[in-house]
Amino acid sequence: MANLSYYLPILIIVVVIGVVLVFGIYFLREYLRIRKNGSTCIYCKAEAAKESPRTYLFLLPISFGDTYDNAEKYLLSHMVPIMGREQIPTGRRACKIEVHLCSKCNKRQVVIEDFLLVRGEDYMKEYYKFSYEKFHPLLERWEEMEGRTDSGYRM
């Protein structure tokens, strides 16, 4: 018993370091995928790449410091399609949506970046990944608007 209590602090430190390393590896992998315009699949954790060059743009009815709960529900009910960055009023937040396709399970997901436009620069507030199916009607509505205005937003 005395030996176990002697080594217990060392064992705890080793376990904590191991947990930090595992989470660090997952974080680093996700960060690198985002940097090369990809993401991690929400279904199987394989690499998911941007499916098309199109980036959808939506306006949110909130400003800089506002927050919201249940992001998926809030975004689905409050995002308004817009065709360009010039349509973002000062102090209002917007979202960029990209559709990504998993290289392993072939499922689609949406990657959403909630940002504030300040002096032409995007300041990211939140980053989300959700199932494509729920956002598909909203993306179709954006495409219908694009067809009417013929000046879609591209990044």
Side-chain angles (χ1 to χ4, degrees):
M1 273 308 206
N3 287 339
L4 181 62
S5 63
Y6 178 76
Y7 292 109
L8 188 59
I10 295 171
L11 290 173
I12 291 173
I13 290 172
V14 168
V15 168
V16 168
I17 289 172
V19 169
V20 167
L21 284 174
V22 167
F23 281 108
I25 290 169
Y26 283 112
F27 173 77
L28 185 60
R29 181 180 68 173
E30 179 70 11
Y31 176 75
L32 292 174
R33 286 181 179 169
I34 291 169
R35 296 278 296 165
K36 65 179 190 173
N37 215 10
S39 65
T40 300
C41 178
I42 59 175
Y43 303 103
C44 70
K45 305 300 182 212
E47 186 170 354
K50 190 173 176 182
E51 187 176 36
S52 74
R54 172 170 284 163
T55 298
Y56 302 88
L57 189 61
F58 295 87
L59 189 63
L60 292 173
I62 56 176
S63 58
F64 174 70
D66 296 338
T67 60
Y68 47 86
D69 295 323
N70 192 349
E72 184 176 27
K73 184 178 177 182
Y74 180 84
L75 293 172
L76 280 169
S77 61
H78 289 88
M79 291 193 313
V80 177
I82 57 175
M83 293 295 109
R85 298 166 69 87
E86 66 280 351
Q87 293 179 305
I88 303 173
T90 303
R92 290 274 300 274
R93 288 177 26 199
C95 285
K96 290 185 272 192
I97 297 182
E98 296 177 346
V99 178
H100 287 219
L101 181 66
C102 178
S103 59
K104 184 176 179 184
C105 68
N106 288 324
K107 291 186 179 180
R108 288 182 176 143
Q109 64 188 15
V110 293
V111 175
I112 302 175
E113 186 179 314
D114 175 355
F115 69 95
L116 179 68
L117 185 64
V118 179
R119 296 185 187 107
E121 296 288 324
D122 297 350
Y123 288 94
M124 188 170 63
K125 298 293 287 177
E126 300 291 339
Y127 177 85
Y128 304 104
K129 292 186 285 189
F130 297 115
S131 170
Y132 171 79
E133 289 75 23
K134 290 184 179 180
F135 286 85
H136 180 70
L138 193 60
L139 301 179
E140 280 184 341
R141 199 169 76 195
W142 188 94
E143 288 175 356
E144 287 172 10
M145 278 185 63
E146 179 191 38
R148 286 191 297 252
T149 61
D150 220 31
S151 64
Y153 172 72
R154 305 276 193 281
M155 287 201 70

